[in-house]
Amino acid sequence: MPTLAIVLVLTAALFHTLRDFTTKQSSDKLLFVWWISLLSLLMLSPIALYFLFTTEPSWVALGFAVAMGLVHSSYWMFYAKAYEKGDISHVYPIIHSAPAFVLIFGVLFLAEDPSWNGVLGILLTTCGLYFINLKKVSLKTLLEPFAAIFKEEHVQFAFLGLIMVVTTNLLDKKA
């Protein structure tokens, strides 16, 4: 992997960590993530405007852009709500279990053909994220994270955030 790619991945990881930490620390999480979104919009608007005026967008592309905006807005709302009640160590692994679902839906609906190494990597990562949420590893506690979906509000919001991440990835691919 090129050095630039590694630097970009590590930089993105650092910014994700800072965003999650500062979101959790904020007194109004929803307002905080909307400010983050607004700042991102302002920073990226010149690039979007450049492409809008230098290319001829199709109605299909604009439809995807609107759909992505709605899905992404929903993600931020669920993300903020999950962090209002839940700990980062509990919410983040749920929301970011998306690769397993992207793999499943990508194969089923987008005719993706992942490599076995890719499948194994996704499964190992997802299992690790799942086990992080176990209070202790035993047969009795193995299904507790699934039961939490029906009992704990922050888990419900985290799961809805997960669905939005999966939807974003599938829309990205289709677009």
Side-chain angles (χ1 to χ4, degrees), residues 89-90 93-94 97 122-146:
S89 61
H90 196 210
I94 295 169
S97 298
I122 290 169
L123 292 177
L124 286 173
T125 303
T126 304
C127 287
L129 290 169
Y130 186 81
F131 280 101
I132 286 172
N133 280 301
L134 295 177
K135 291 177 177 66
K136 67 179 194 172
V137 180
S138 70
L139 287 175
K140 182 181 176 186
T141 62
L142 198 58
L143 296 179
E144 281 182 0
F146 286 110

Side-chain angles (χ1 to χ4, degrees), residues 155-169:
V155 174
Q156 294 166 354
F157 282 118
F159 192 73
L160 290 170
L162 163 68
I163 292 170
M164 294 302 108
V165 172
V166 172
T167 304
T168 298
N169 281 276

Side-chain angles (χ1 to χ4, degrees), residues 7-162:
V7 169
L8 290 173
V9 168
L10 292 175
T11 303
L14 174 66
F15 280 113
H16 272 93
T17 303
L18 289 172
R19 181 203 63 204
D20 287 342
F21 180 75
T22 54
T23 299
K24 183 61 183 164
Q25 298 300 315
S26 67
S27 59
D28 187 334
K29 285 143 187 62
L30 189 57
L31 181 63
F32 184 80
V33 297
W34 285 115
W35 274 111
I36 290 172
S37 296
L38 180 63
L39 288 173
S40 298
L41 177 69
L42 291 174
M43 288 179 2
L44 296 174
S45 289
I47 298 168
L49 290 172
Y50 170 79
F51 283 110
L52 184 64
F53 291 112
T54 60
T55 61
E56 189 174 322
S58 69
W59 287 106
V60 173
L62 290 174
F64 273 109
V66 169
M68 289 294 290
L70 292 172
V71 170
H72 210 66
S73 296
S74 299
Y75 165 76
W76 282 117
M77 184 184 69
F78 296 139
Y79 166 91
K81 289 291 194 183
Y83 276 152
E84 279 179 11
K85 310 267 188 205
D87 293 334
I88 290 175
S89 61
H90 196 210
V91 169
Y92 189 88
I94 295 169
I95 290 176
H96 294 283
S97 298
F101 294 97
V102 171
L103 170 68
I104 293 165
F105 291 119
V107 168
L108 291 176
F109 300 115
L110 300 176
E112 292 282 312
D113 186 25
S115 70
W116 284 107
N117 286 342
V119 171
L120 182 62
I122 290 169
L123 292 177
L124 286 173
T125 303
T126 304
C127 287
L129 290 169
Y130 186 81
F131 280 101
I132 286 172
N133 280 301
L134 295 177
K135 291 177 177 66
K136 67 179 194 172
V137 180
S138 70
L139 287 175
K140 182 181 176 186
T141 62
L142 198 58
L143 296 179
E144 281 182 0
F146 286 110
I149 292 172
F150 301 104
K151 297 178 188 173
E152 300 177 34
E153 189 176 30
H154 72 278
V155 174
Q156 294 166 354
F157 282 118
F159 192 73
L160 290 170
L162 163 68

